[in-house]
Amino acid sequence: MRLMPWHRRLAILACVGIFSWAGSGMLHPLMSFLQERPATMAPRQQALPLEGLRSPAAVLSDPVSSTFQGLRLLQVDGEPYYQARVQGSEAPRYWHARDGGEVDLQARPR
C-alpha cells in the first residue's frame, strides 16, 4: 500500500509527458504552414525567340561534330547558341544558332 501514491504520481507525470509530446508533434504541421517560405535563388528566365534559328543538323555538319554525345540550345547575352559535347573531349563546343559559325565561348570575358 505504500507504493500506490507513488504509482499515481508517476502515472500523472507520464501522462503529462505523453500529452506534451503528442501536442508538440501536432504543432509541427501548423508551424510549417504559418512560417514564411525562405527566398530561393533562381535566375531570371528570358524567352528565347526561335524564329531565324538554323537546325542543328545544318549547323553541326562538319565530320567531327557527328560524334557528339549531347546537344542543347542555350542563350548567352541574348544570343542563341548550340552547345555540343563531342566524344573524346572534355570541353563542349559552341555554334551560333543563327549564322552557324563555331564560337569559342569559354575564352569570352565574363
Side-chain angles (χ1 to χ4, degrees):
M1 287 298 190
R2 289 184 181 176
L3 296 178
M4 190 57 101
W6 284 104
H7 179 73
R8 286 185 185 148
R9 288 181 189 146
L10 290 174
I12 290 174
L13 186 62
C15 281
V16 168
I18 289 173
F19 283 126
S20 298
W21 181 42
S24 73
M26 290 170 50
L27 282 177
H28 279 94
L30 181 64
M31 290 186 301
S32 297
F33 178 73
L34 295 176
Q35 185 177 6
E36 291 182 24
R37 299 279 180 231
T40 56
M41 186 69 174
R44 288 188 333 210
Q45 296 293 325
Q46 296 178 354
L48 180 63
L50 298 178
E51 59 273 351
L53 294 184
R54 298 180 68 189
S55 72
V59 173
L60 306 173
S61 60
D62 69 71
V64 175
S65 64
S66 64
T67 60
F68 67 89
Q69 293 175 326
L71 175 71
R72 71 176 180 161
L73 178 65
L74 55 96
Q75 184 175 5
V76 178
D77 296 332
E79 292 293 318
Y81 294 94
Y82 289 116
Q83 178 192 47
R85 294 226 173 249
V86 180
Q87 210 170 25
S89 174
E90 289 187 24
R93 293 172 60 187
Y94 299 92
W95 287 266
H96 196 278
R98 284 200 172 46
D99 64 19
E102 188 168 358
V103 182
D104 189 13
L105 288 182
Q106 295 181 356
R108 291 177 56 160
R110 300 219 177 217

